[in-house]
Amino acid sequence: MYYIYIWFNIDTNEIFYVGLGTGDRRFQIRQRNNLFKKYYGQNKCAVRLIKSGLQEEDARKLERVLIEELNPCCNMTKGGERTNGKKISKSLTGKTHTDEHRMNVSDAIRKWHQEKIRNSKQIIVLDKDRNIIKTFEAKYLLGEWLHNEFRYGKHARSAQRMADKYFNNKALFDKRFYFENKC
């Protein structure tokens, strides 16, 4: 038996993914597309079961209908396909977003960044001789810099977590940097 589930943003209640599954599929994070993983990594998210006990064909039809109605931003296809784990090119989906939707997403991302900065302490990056190299308004910006400039971590958040261990102590990060919170 199959079920339909949705992933949604806890803060905004935005449904960003509609899926079909069996077993514990709805709880899995690793086997997701990059849009899903990025959204999930940047927001507080939860999963909700919509309907269970469905035959496969009924589940696939319902998935297609919900994706069409809700237009979730992280679904890569129109739903109902038997992909069996194969990656599907976004260019093949035929999905387009309205200008209003793009503007709303852009505004939400901008507000999210502004909130992160308001709730953060300034970060100072020092070289081995304790000279200031760079300053950041928030820790997440440090993670982006470390990842983009030096390829630390699989993504910006993992680079930030690597650096977190080195704040306000005497140890060098990768024999290159010291990090301090500016008070």
Side-chain angles (χ1 to χ4, degrees):
M1 299 306 277
Y2 289 78
Y3 57 79
I4 300 294
Y5 61 96
I6 59 167
W7 275 92
F8 64 97
N9 182 318
I10 292 171
D11 295 328
T12 65
N13 283 326
E14 175 192 16
I15 296 170
F16 65 94
Y17 188 83
V18 174
L20 157 141
T22 61
D24 67 349
R25 171 65 180 143
R26 68 181 180 265
F27 300 113
Q28 295 173 3
I29 305 302
R30 283 187 177 181
Q31 296 175 334
R32 301 286 178 180
N33 68 58
N34 289 336
L35 281 174
F36 180 98
K37 289 177 185 177
K38 184 173 183 177
Y39 190 99
Y40 180 85
Q42 294 176 343
N43 297 282
K44 292 189 336 191
C45 305
V47 65
R48 182 178 299 139
L49 187 64
I50 298 297
K51 191 164 186 178
S52 61
L54 298 168
Q55 296 298 320
E56 182 178 8
E57 194 52 42
D58 295 332
R60 292 191 186 288
K61 285 178 187 173
L62 181 56
E63 181 188 33
R64 278 192 299 273
V65 167
L66 289 173
I67 289 172
E68 187 174 332
E69 284 178 12
L70 301 172
N71 196 24
C73 63
C74 294
N75 280 89
M76 299 290 286
T77 69
K78 294 179 181 179
E81 295 91 354
R82 288 186 174 97
T83 61
N84 298 325
K86 293 178 188 166
K87 291 186 178 183
I88 295 187
S89 167
K90 187 162 183 140
S91 65
L92 299 176
T93 66
K95 180 186 263 187
T96 58
H97 294 290
T98 65
D99 289 339
E100 180 184 11
H101 177 79
R102 280 190 223 113
M103 188 176 70
N104 289 341
V105 169
S106 181
D107 288 344
I109 291 170
R110 187 173 25 268
K111 287 176 187 174
W112 177 78
H113 280 283
Q114 290 168 348
E115 184 66 25
K116 293 275 266 187
I117 288 171
R118 266 197 303 279
N119 294 330
S120 296
K121 295 178 185 174
Q122 191 175 36
I123 306 303
I124 302 170
V125 180
L126 307 161
D127 66 13
K128 288 190 236 183
D129 300 322
R130 298 270 182 187
N131 298 313
I132 296 175
I133 297 174
K134 203 156 179 77
T135 59
F136 296 97
E137 294 298 316
K139 270 190 182 179
Y140 81 95
L141 294 171
L142 169 66
E144 289 178 0
W145 179 70
L146 288 171
H147 178 69
N148 295 335
E149 293 291 321
F150 304 102
R151 290 295 177 225
Y152 289 109
K154 289 183 179 178
H155 45 72
R157 181 67 183 112
S158 65
Q160 178 190 329
R161 281 193 294 258
M162 291 167 71
D164 280 345
K165 301 174 200 165
Y166 294 87
F167 271 87
N168 296 323
N169 69 29
K170 296 184 183 194
L172 274 168
F173 175 78
D174 195 29
K175 300 179 184 175
R176 295 174 85 166
F177 308 115
Y178 290 102
F179 305 117
E180 292 182 1
N181 290 316
K182 185 175 182 182
C183 298

